[in-house]
Amino acid sequence: MKDWALLEVNKFDDLHELPLQSGVYIVVNKDDEIIYVGKAANLRSRWWAAKVGKTDHPSYNDSTYRGWYSQKSIYWKPHKMLDYLLDQECSLKYKLVDKLAATCLELDLINELSPSHNVRTC
């Protein structure tokens, strides 16, 4: 994937390196498989939501809470998957594009790559 920046995420503070701009991101596992594609109006704040303490998260006290994944949510939210990202030695690739281009690119990539953790909508 040409023109994509790579961010190795070994600890939470590595997310400071993400830009405060809109774009598309890809989560790549240690076997170099693309497992998730997403978009954000602000890449850093999309992931920085993980800074909120788990006890502050609405589903924390819910019996279905599973760390990065909630049975009540059909979406794989970045703030829920950060622990998984760190545990599984995943990395992020991202590309800065405007919001409209990010929406189109995200959909194209999901349809082309069929990542295992994206919800299929079309």
Side-chain angles (χ1 to χ4, degrees):
M1 305 203 112
K2 279 185 167 179
D3 305 327
W4 288 74
L6 175 67
L7 178 64
E8 297 290 337
V9 184
N10 299 312
K11 59 187 183 308
F12 182 78
D13 288 339
D14 291 340
L15 297 173
H16 280 295
E17 301 299 317
L18 287 170
L20 296 168
Q21 295 167 284
S22 63
V24 175
Y25 59 90
I26 294 173
V27 178
V28 181
N29 69 14
K30 62 184 171 191
D31 297 324
D32 226 19
E33 297 170 332
I34 295 171
I35 60 173
Y36 185 77
V37 175
K39 68 179 181 324
N42 180 324
L43 288 166
R44 188 184 308 164
S45 68
R46 174 62 132 188
W47 286 87
W48 206 246
K51 188 72 171 166
V52 175
K54 288 184 179 178
T55 55
D56 297 332
H57 194 279
S59 64
Y60 179 75
N61 294 317
D62 189 339
S63 61
T64 61
Y65 182 73
R66 300 285 182 266
W68 61 272
Y69 177 75
S70 169
Q71 295 291 333
K72 290 186 175 183
S73 174
I74 61 170
Y75 301 106
W76 211 49
K77 302 281 187 195
H79 65 275
K80 292 182 182 178
M81 68 177 162
L82 184 61
D83 290 337
Y84 179 84
L85 183 95
L86 293 170
D87 290 344
Q88 299 298 315
E89 300 174 22
C90 295
S91 58
L92 292 175
K93 290 184 180 181
Y94 63 91
K95 185 174 189 171
L96 300 178
V97 293
D98 64 58
K99 292 177 190 177
L100 181 58
T103 301
C104 295
L105 181 57
E106 178 196 32
L107 184 58
D108 288 346
L109 288 171
I110 290 170
N111 287 329
E112 177 186 334
L113 304 171
S114 299
S116 58
H117 288 83
N118 280 96
V119 174
R120 306 294 188 274
T121 57
C122 59

